[in-house]
């Protein structure tokens, strides 16, 4: 099956918190063994849920290790936050990971949102508009570093002078760029720079954001068809519907929330029910689905997804 001229892709975000490295690495390799298209970590300094003293692996070292520990699956961060590091450091790290992986990096960048991490570590958490402006400048710098022999840039927030970036990424002209975020500011930036736009929410919300992204593409003279629409969601998949609901309730409680308030971000049910739900997202233009997998890592749902749901979209 193709959506807007693209094959449907399937990925798993293996959340690098509340776990040990052997357990995390085994889950990443398990995702590859199940022949998913992509596997992702995340960009956080503290656990997103649970006690803040619980383990949470650093992003770029984790991503490099994922690249070295796999051979086929594409690897990425869902998504890098622009405030965590300067664009030159991020460009260099991403180029290195693309070299390590032999050209399997899916690059990403978003505005960052986890205010509590910035407070804990004494890092400045910028206002939303400044985060958007930094995101715009950072993407300009990163693309130039990857594609030009040397880059000079002077913006409001970042400045570099006659800067090389060697080695370049393995993929040319550069790795695919995902811009993450659901607000109009992120979608405007995605229209300018992205190969993929990532969001979450219901099929109806996804369709509305796709329409807005198409409008922004028109404003900047970009073909909307050039941009992949990707969705990240929580998945509860089981042979019986009540088992899927029970699993979703358990995961929601573990994250400190309640399922009803989170339900727009969930896909829940039996394989046949889940197929219907994914088709609604496909109708909204989504062609890349990324489901969350948290510790303790249980690949049962992922295995059922790969064996009984994915074949329906070939």
């Amino acid at each position: 099956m193709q959506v807007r001229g693209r094959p449907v892709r399937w990925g798993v975000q293996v959340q690098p918190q509340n776990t040990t490295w052997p357990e995390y690495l085994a889950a990443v390799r398990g995702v590859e063994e199940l022949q998913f298209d992509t596997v992702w970590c995340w960009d956080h300094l503290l656990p997103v849920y649970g006690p803040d003293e619980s383990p949470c692996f650093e992003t770029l070292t984790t991503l490099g290790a994922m690249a070295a520990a796999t051979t086929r699956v594409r690897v990425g961060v869902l998504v890098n936050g622009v405030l965590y590091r300067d664009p030159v450091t991020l460009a260099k790290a991403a180029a290195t990971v693309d070299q390590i992986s032999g050209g399997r990096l899916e690059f990403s960048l978003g505005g960052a949102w986890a205010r509590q991490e910035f407070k804990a570590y004494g890092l400045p958490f910028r206002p939303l508009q400044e985060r958007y402006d930094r995101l715009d400048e950072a993407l300009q710098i990163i693309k130039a570093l990857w594609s030009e022999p040397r880059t000079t840039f002077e913006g409001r927030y970042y400045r570099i002078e006659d800067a090389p970036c060697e080695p370049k990424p393995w993929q040319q002209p550069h790795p695919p760029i995902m811009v993450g975020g659901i607000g109009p500011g992120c979608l405007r930036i995605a229209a300018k720079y992205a190969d993929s736009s990532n969001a979450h929410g219901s099929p109806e919300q996804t369709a509305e954001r796709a329409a807005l992204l198409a409008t922004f593409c028109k404003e900047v003279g970009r073909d909307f068809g050039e941009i992949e629409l990707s969705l990240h969601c929580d998945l509860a998949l089981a042979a019986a519907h009540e088992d899927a609901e029970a699993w979703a309730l358990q995961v929601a409680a573990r994250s400190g929330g309640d399922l009803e308030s989170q339900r727009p971000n969930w896909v829940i049910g039996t394989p046949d029910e889940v197929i219907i739900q994914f088709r609604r997202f496909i109708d909204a233009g989504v062609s890349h689905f990324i489901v969350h997998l948290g510790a303790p890592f249980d690949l049962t749902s992922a295995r059922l997804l790969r064996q009984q749901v994915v074949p329906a979209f070939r």
Side-chain angles (χ1 to χ4, degrees):
M1 174 181 288
Q2 292 204 337
V3 181
R4 300 166 60 238
R6 299 172 180 274
V8 178
R9 298 200 294 163
W10 301 87
V12 178
Q13 182 198 59
V14 184
Q15 299 173 347
Q17 67 163 22
N18 302 324
T19 188
T20 66
W21 181 252
E23 291 168 339
Y24 184 80
L25 188 59
V28 168
R29 286 174 167 162
V31 170
E32 179 171 59
E33 289 169 4
L34 287 172
Q35 299 185 356
F36 281 92
D37 299 296
T38 58
V39 63
W40 308 76
C41 61
W42 67 21
D43 195 10
H44 290 291
L45 298 172
L46 292 173
V48 172
Y49 56 84
D52 62 7
E53 69 269 20
S54 298
C56 184
F57 293 122
E58 190 279 329
T59 301
L60 297 183
T61 47
T62 298
L63 182 64
M66 290 166 63
T70 56
T71 60
R72 183 201 59 81
V73 68
R74 296 183 65 81
V75 298
V77 179
L78 193 66
V79 297
N80 288 295
V82 72
L83 295 184
Y84 290 108
R85 54 194 73 81
D86 66 89
V88 174
T89 299
L90 185 56
K92 287 286 292 181
T96 300
V97 171
D98 204 41
Q99 288 282 338
I100 292 170
S101 67
R104 291 183 287 119
L105 175 67
E106 302 259 331
F107 180 74
S108 69
L109 199 58
W113 59 270
R115 183 189 300 267
Q116 70 274 17
E117 299 178 356
F118 293 83
K119 179 180 179 181
Y121 291 113
L123 303 174
F125 187 72
R126 308 296 185 178
L128 181 60
Q129 186 56 54
E130 181 177 335
R131 281 179 273 152
Y132 287 156
D133 293 342
R134 286 178 178 270
L135 178 59
D136 192 294
E137 288 189 12
L139 287 169
Q140 292 181 61
I141 291 170
I142 291 166
K143 290 187 76 169
L145 286 169
W146 285 345
S147 57
E148 303 294 336
R150 290 180 177 271
T151 298
T152 296
F153 180 91
E154 185 164 357
R156 182 175 181 183
Y157 300 105
Y158 303 113
R159 179 181 180 275
I160 61 175
E161 184 176 348
D162 197 30
C165 180
E166 299 297 338
K168 302 293 187 198
W170 182 288
Q171 298 174 87
Q172 292 296 317
H174 56 73
I177 294 173
M178 172 190 286
V179 172
I182 60 176
C186 278
L187 294 176
R188 285 186 183 277
I189 294 169
K192 294 166 66 175
Y193 305 112
D195 301 294
S196 176
S197 175
N198 180 261
H200 63 271
S202 68
E204 294 77 17
Q205 291 169 325
T206 301
E208 291 172 2
R209 291 164 189 152
L212 188 57
L213 178 59
T215 298
F216 293 151
C217 284
K218 187 176 181 179
E219 289 177 359
V220 299
R222 181 100 186 270
D223 180 2
F224 173 57
E226 295 177 0
I227 302 177
E228 174 192 72
L229 299 183
S230 66
L231 178 90
H232 65 273
C233 64
D234 288 290
L235 173 69
L237 178 60
H241 183 88
E242 56 270 24
D243 292 336
E245 284 282 346
W247 175 250
L249 281 167
Q250 180 180 337
V251 172
R254 194 166 65 212
S255 66
D258 73 280
L259 179 58
E260 290 313 308
S261 64
Q262 300 175 6
R263 196 172 284 274
N265 299 327
W266 277 88
V267 173
I268 302 172
T270 66
D272 287 343
E273 291 170 338
V274 164
I275 286 170
I276 292 170
Q277 293 172 65
F278 280 131
R279 281 181 174 151
R280 293 177 63 202
F281 285 107
I282 284 175
D283 290 342
V286 174
S287 61
H288 188 181
F289 296 98
I290 303 166
V291 301
H292 302 160
L293 181 64
F297 303 117
D298 183 346
L299 290 171
T300 301
S301 283
R303 188 172 295 109
L304 200 56
L305 174 68
R306 190 68 186 82
Q307 294 173 349
Q308 297 193 31
V309 175
V310 171
F313 299 94
R314 286 176 180 160

